[in-house]
């Protein structure tokens, strides 16, 4: 559907002025009435106001899209107005509204207004498109800008077979996954290259690559920090790299595919890891594959257990028993899933069973020592599951290599019987022996946390807090987060305090950026100010990556400020003994925390200090 089919130049007002929100609505309704779409002007106005009373239609970046569906509309239509001086439209980011679209839809069962709203909203996500509309000199120019943008969008969507394919994924599947996808798509558009990007995020696979896409593509980019199933890309040039390169170097990655520099993927015969994935990044990728699968289970398990104690302190209560048992059942799966998916990342599906077994051995505490003293069982926790995952994965590779030259007649049973059975035997026996020592190591670590003086807890909270901001989702950040998660899982002493410190510290970078762009608007460009609302939401949700674009522009000043703010928040949170047994949730789970008001103080302190330093040290583009 063409948006301009529902518009006329009579319903467009250029360089308008409105004293307040109601004045703006009056003028927009009059424009719609002038276009001939309204049979009862007052009834339509009431419908628009009624919709506004539900929630404001003032978005961010100076955009408002009021709309209403009523019998007072004779046919669907759109009116528009630009307001150079802006108007207070009660927008989500609190900024003046400078561009308004009013959508009218008849109440006849037709969902045309939803289609238009979706199409228009997609276009308005482009900052340059919005600026062009705001600067239009005539209604005719305004309509022309919309037509050109919509045509370009449809041309992009109409590409039957994209030249370049990509898959993006990060361990938590929240921010890096989609930032890399956006960067690749934006750069491909600038280069005039058609691309299709599949995202494997926390909400599942989106924009999935089809077999037809793969058959006609020049190559595929895998920008991921966890294991991605690659069998479908057999025979296709494939370039694999960390997800951060998808954000930082999209043009380089696309050019590698276009210049035919990527090696052809041939299943097990070719290593997927390219030059950027040598050394530490290979085991890190395997570890993050396990962690990304175990984290959702750990979050829900912790939430169920905390919820049980939140509802009632009576451990004999039926509600407590149900919630607590559900939480404990989920805890049972965390270590096997972690270990199993590490192993699977190393040696594919045959290693999943051995990995699960090693994870359960770590959870249960089964070992040679247990055979001599079956009364005592102590888990080896995350340490055991991680070691068990790598053990199972690499032992499976050894088994596969030993039986590589088995006669072809056994090919059918190798992946479903021979490899799994031998892998389980080798991994199970090895893990049983090794677990004796892993339990001792784990016990020493946990025992060290007993009777820690407050100053030691503060130092741990501050140190892990600073680590959360050093590389924003990179290996240092993930190490600090994984360490806190491991303590929460084992319910070690002070684990709730350390988890709260780590979570609070991870919230600081985007909150500090939002504080600066909100309070010191004159220091930032309009595009940077437009990220304020997004960074507030990301920060409060414990998603640090909203600060990455600002760090990329001025790493020398912004990054140290973020690290210092996270250090302060981690230290204060630990000092105030704020605690939470949930590994995620940000401010939205504050009602489950101990000392929540002091936790807010810790967050504010880190945010303000970091925000002030960023404000007065960053390089302005003005």
């Amino acid at each position: 559907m063409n948006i301009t089919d529902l518009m006329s130049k009579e319903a467009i007002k250029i360089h308008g002025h409105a004293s307040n929100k109601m004045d703006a609505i009056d003028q927009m309704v009059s424009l719609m009435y002038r276009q001939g779409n309204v049979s009862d002007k007052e009834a339509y106005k009431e419908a628009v106001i009624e919709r506004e009373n539900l929630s404001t239609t003032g978005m961010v970046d100076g955009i408002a899209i009021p709309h209403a569906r009523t019998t007072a509309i004779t046919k669907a239509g759109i009116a528009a107005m630009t307001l150079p001086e802006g108007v207070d439209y009660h927008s989500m980011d609190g900024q003046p509204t400078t561009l308004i679209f009013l959508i009218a839809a008849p109440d006849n069962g037709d969902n045309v207004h939803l289609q238009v709203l979706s199409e228009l909203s997609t276009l308005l996500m482009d900052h340059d498109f919005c600026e062009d509309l705001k600067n239009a000199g005539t209604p005719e120019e305004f309509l022309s800008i919309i037509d050109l943008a919509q045509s370009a969008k449809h041309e992009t969507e109409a590409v039957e077979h994209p030249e370049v394919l990509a898959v993006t994924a990060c361990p938590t599947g929240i921010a890096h996954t989609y930032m890399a996808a956006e960067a690749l798509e934006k750069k491909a558009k600038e280069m005039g290259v058609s691309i299709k990007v599949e995202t494997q995020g926390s909400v599942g696979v989106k924009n999935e690559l089809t077999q037809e896409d793969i058959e006609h593509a020049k190559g595929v980019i895998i920008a991921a920090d966890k294991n991605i199933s690659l069998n479908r890309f057999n025979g296709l040039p494939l370039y694999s790299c960390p997800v951060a390169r998808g954000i930082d170097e999209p043009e380089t990655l696309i050019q590698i595919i276009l210049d035919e520099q990527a090696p052809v993927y041939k299943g097990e015969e070719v290593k997927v890891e390219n030059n950027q994935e040598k050394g530490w990044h290979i085991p890190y990728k395997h570890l993050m594959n396990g962690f990304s699968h175990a984290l959702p289970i750990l979050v829900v398990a912790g939430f169920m257990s905390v919820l049980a104690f939140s509802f009632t302190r009576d451990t004999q209560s039926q509600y407590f028993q149900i919630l607590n048992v559900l939480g404990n059942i989920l805890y049972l799966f965390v270590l096997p899933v972690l270990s199993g998916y590490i192993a699977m990342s190393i040696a594919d599906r045959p290693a999943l069973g051995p990995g699960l077994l090693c994870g359960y051995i770590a959870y249960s505490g089964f070992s040679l020592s247990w055979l001599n003293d079956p009364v005592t069982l102590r888990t080896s926790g995350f340490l055991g599951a991680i070691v068990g995952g790598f053990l199972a994965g690499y032992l499976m590779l050894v088994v596969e290599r030993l039986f590589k030259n088995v006669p072809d007649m056994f090919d059918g049973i190798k992946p479903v019987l021979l490899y799994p059975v031998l892998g389980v035997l080798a991994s199970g026996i090895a893990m049983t022996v090794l677990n004796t020592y892993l339990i001792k190591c784990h016990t020493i670590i946990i025992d060290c946390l007993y009777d820690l003086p407050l100053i030691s807890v503060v130092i741990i909270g501050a140190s892990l807090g600073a680590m959360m901001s050093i590389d924003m989702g990179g290996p240092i950040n993930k190490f600090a987060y994984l360490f806190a998660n491991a303590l929460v899982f084992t319910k070690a002493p002070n684990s709730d305090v350390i988890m709260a410190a780590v979570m609070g510290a991870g919230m600081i970078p985007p909150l500090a950026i939002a504080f600066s762009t909100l309070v010191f608007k004159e220091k930032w460009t309009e595009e940077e100010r437009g990220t304020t609302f997004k960074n507030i939401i990301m920060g409060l949700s414990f998603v640090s990556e909203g600060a990455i674009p600002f760090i990329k522009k001025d790493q020398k000043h912004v990054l140290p400020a973020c690290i210092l703010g996270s250090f302060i928040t981690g230290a204060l949170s630990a000092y105030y003994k704020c605690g939470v047994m949930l590994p995620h949730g940000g401010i939205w789970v504050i009602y489950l925390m101990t000392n929540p008001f002091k936790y807010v103080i810790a967050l504010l302190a880190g945010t303000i200090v970091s925000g002030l330093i960023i404000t007065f040290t960053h390089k302005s583009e003005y």
Side-chain angles (χ1 to χ4, degrees):
M1 170 178 292
N2 290 327
I3 295 172
T4 52
D5 291 343
L6 303 180
M7 304 180 72
S8 68
K9 60 183 180 180
E10 289 78 19
I12 301 172
K13 188 173 185 178
I14 303 297
H15 299 156
H17 170 79
S19 57
N20 53 45
K21 181 175 181 176
M22 288 308 302
D23 184 22
I25 290 175
D26 280 337
Q27 293 187 51
M28 295 303 299
V29 170
S30 295
L31 288 172
M32 188 68 73
Y33 185 73
R34 185 191 304 174
Q35 191 171 224
N37 299 75
V38 182
S39 61
D40 188 333
K41 185 177 179 181
E42 288 304 315
Y44 176 55
K45 178 181 174 181
E46 288 178 10
V48 172
I49 294 173
E50 183 179 350
R51 170 60 187 84
E52 289 296 323
N53 290 335
L54 293 175
S55 62
T56 182
T57 56
M59 307 307 196
V60 296
D61 295 334
I63 309 296
I65 314 178
H67 51 278
R69 181 174 180 173
T70 172
T71 54
I73 298 298
T74 56
K75 61 179 181 178
I78 302 176
M81 178 166 62
T82 62
L83 303 97
E85 298 176 6
V87 62
D88 182 4
Y89 203 87
H90 305 160
S91 59
M92 292 180 179
D93 59 0
Q95 299 301 309
T97 294
T98 52
L99 177 62
I100 304 178
F101 281 93
L102 175 64
I103 298 176
D107 192 10
N108 58 5
D110 189 355
N111 287 325
V112 65
H113 74 296
L114 296 178
Q115 301 171 29
V116 174
L117 195 58
S118 173
E119 183 85 5
L120 187 58
S121 298
T122 302
L123 290 176
L124 290 174
M125 291 175 66
D126 187 328
H127 178 75
D128 294 336
F129 171 70
C130 296
E131 290 303 305
D132 289 343
L133 289 179
K134 294 173 184 178
N135 295 326
T138 64
E140 290 82 1
E141 184 182 354
F142 191 94
L143 291 169
S144 175
I145 291 169
I146 296 175
D147 266 335
L148 289 173
Q150 196 171 17
S151 297
K153 178 176 179 292
H154 288 168
E155 285 176 8
T156 302
E157 292 175 345
V159 174
E160 187 175 0
H161 303 302
E163 297 174 78
V164 179
L165 305 179
V167 180
T168 62
C170 64
T172 52
I174 297 175
H176 279 79
T177 300
Y178 303 104
M179 292 172 70
E182 182 181 1
L184 287 165
E185 289 170 345
K186 185 175 181 180
K187 183 55 66 175
K189 183 177 180 181
E190 292 176 6
M191 297 170 67
V193 177
S194 58
I195 191 170
K196 182 176 180 180
V197 184
E198 174 183 300
T199 56
Q200 296 192 11
S202 58
V203 294
V205 176
K206 298 294 182 183
N207 203 31
E208 186 172 4
L209 304 179
T210 66
Q211 188 58 40
E212 189 175 1
D213 292 331
I214 295 169
E215 289 173 358
H216 292 86
K218 291 183 177 179
V220 59
I221 301 164
I222 306 295
D225 280 342
K226 68 175 188 176
N227 187 58
I228 301 295
S229 178
L230 302 174
N231 293 337
R232 54 184 166 154
F233 302 121
N234 197 35
L236 185 69
L238 183 150
Y239 191 82
S240 177
C241 65
V243 69
R245 289 198 69 203
I247 300 171
D248 297 333
E249 306 173 50
E251 183 173 3
T252 301
L253 300 180
I254 294 170
Q255 202 62 51
I256 286 173
I257 300 299
L258 296 179
D259 293 343
E260 300 181 355
Q261 295 178 358
V264 175
Y265 178 62
K266 299 178 181 179
E268 296 179 350
E269 298 177 17
V270 175
K271 284 185 177 293
V272 179
E273 292 82 2
N274 299 312
N275 293 333
Q276 292 74 24
E277 293 192 289
K278 291 181 178 179
W280 62 267
H281 194 270
I282 297 174
Y284 169 74
K285 190 172 183 177
H286 298 322
L287 175 62
M288 288 301 103
N289 187 62
F291 183 58
S292 67
H293 285 87
L295 179 61
I297 302 173
L298 180 58
V299 171
V300 177
F303 187 81
M304 297 298 290
S305 297
V306 173
L307 207 59
F309 284 97
S310 300
F311 279 160
T312 176
R313 298 289 178 178
D314 179 10
T315 57
Q316 302 304 314
S317 164
Q318 183 180 16
Y319 298 107
F320 174 88
Q321 293 289 344
I322 292 173
L323 292 173
N324 198 44
V325 168
L326 290 176
N328 288 335
I329 290 173
L330 284 173
Y331 272 124
L332 172 66
F333 290 98
V334 174
L335 296 187
V337 168
L338 172 63
S339 183
Y341 279 92
I342 290 175
M344 186 174 174
S345 177
I346 296 168
D348 216 341
R349 282 176 292 182
L352 179 60
L356 291 171
L357 175 64
C358 288
Y360 187 77
I361 290 174
Y363 174 81
S364 67
F366 182 70
S367 65
L368 288 180
S369 298
W370 180 86
L371 294 175
N372 299 322
D373 182 14
V375 177
T376 304
L377 272 179
R378 297 193 71 173
T379 179
S380 56
F382 264 58
L383 174 64
I386 291 170
V387 172
F390 282 100
L391 178 69
Y394 285 113
L395 279 177
M396 181 56 71
L397 290 181
V398 171
V399 169
E400 291 177 356
R401 178 160 298 196
L402 289 175
F403 290 88
K404 185 177 182 180
N405 296 320
V406 167
D408 294 344
M409 61 183 292
F410 295 104
D411 283 351
I413 66 169
K414 281 196 294 187
V416 296
L417 181 62
L418 185 61
Y419 290 165
V421 169
L422 292 176
V424 163
L425 287 172
S427 302
I429 293 171
M431 185 64 186
T432 300
V433 174
L434 192 59
N435 205 35
T436 300
Y437 307 98
L438 293 173
I439 290 172
K440 290 180 180 179
C441 293
H442 184 262
T443 301
I444 292 172
I445 295 171
I446 298 303
D447 288 347
C448 287
L449 295 173
Y450 280 97
D451 302 321
L452 272 181
L454 180 60
I455 184 63
S456 298
V457 178
V458 171
I459 291 173
I460 293 173
S463 302
L464 293 177
M467 292 169 68
M468 288 297 292
S469 287
I470 288 178
D471 54 0
M472 303 291 174
I476 297 175
N477 169 284
K478 286 296 184 288
F479 174 83
Y481 185 50
L482 185 59
F483 179 79
N485 273 270
L487 296 182
V488 166
F489 176 80
T490 55
K491 300 179 181 178
N494 296 307
S495 60
D496 60 332
V497 175
I498 293 172
M499 187 71 250
V502 165
M503 189 184 298
M507 295 161 67
I508 294 304
L511 289 179
I513 295 292
F515 169 79
S516 181
T517 55
L518 181 65
V519 178
F520 302 96
K521 298 182 179 68
E522 71 281 358
K523 296 282 187 176
W524 303 93
T525 65
E526 184 176 351
E527 182 179 358
E528 289 167 336
R529 292 194 298 269
T531 65
T532 301
F533 180 74
K534 180 177 74 172
N535 273 316
I536 291 174
I537 297 301
M538 292 182 75
L540 294 178
S541 302
F542 183 36
V543 179
S544 306
E545 288 85 344
I548 289 178
F550 291 83
I551 292 173
K552 286 171 61 179
K553 288 182 180 179
D554 188 10
Q555 182 172 346
K556 182 179 178 181
H557 298 101
V558 177
L559 183 58
C562 290
I563 294 173
L564 177 60
S566 294
F567 179 91
I568 291 171
T569 294
L572 285 177
S573 175
Y575 177 76
Y576 291 142
K577 295 185 178 179
C578 304
V580 66
M581 292 300 288
L582 292 177
H584 216 291
I587 202 70
W588 315 117
V589 296
I590 195 168
Y591 67 98
L592 297 174
M593 291 184 178
T594 54
N595 298 321
F597 295 109
K598 290 183 177 179
Y599 195 67
V600 172
I601 293 173
L603 289 174
L604 288 175
T607 297
I608 293 171
V609 171
S610 182
L612 288 174
I613 295 174
I614 290 170
T615 299
F616 295 107
T617 62
H618 91 286
K619 296 178 181 178
S620 174
E621 294 187 4
Y622 284 130

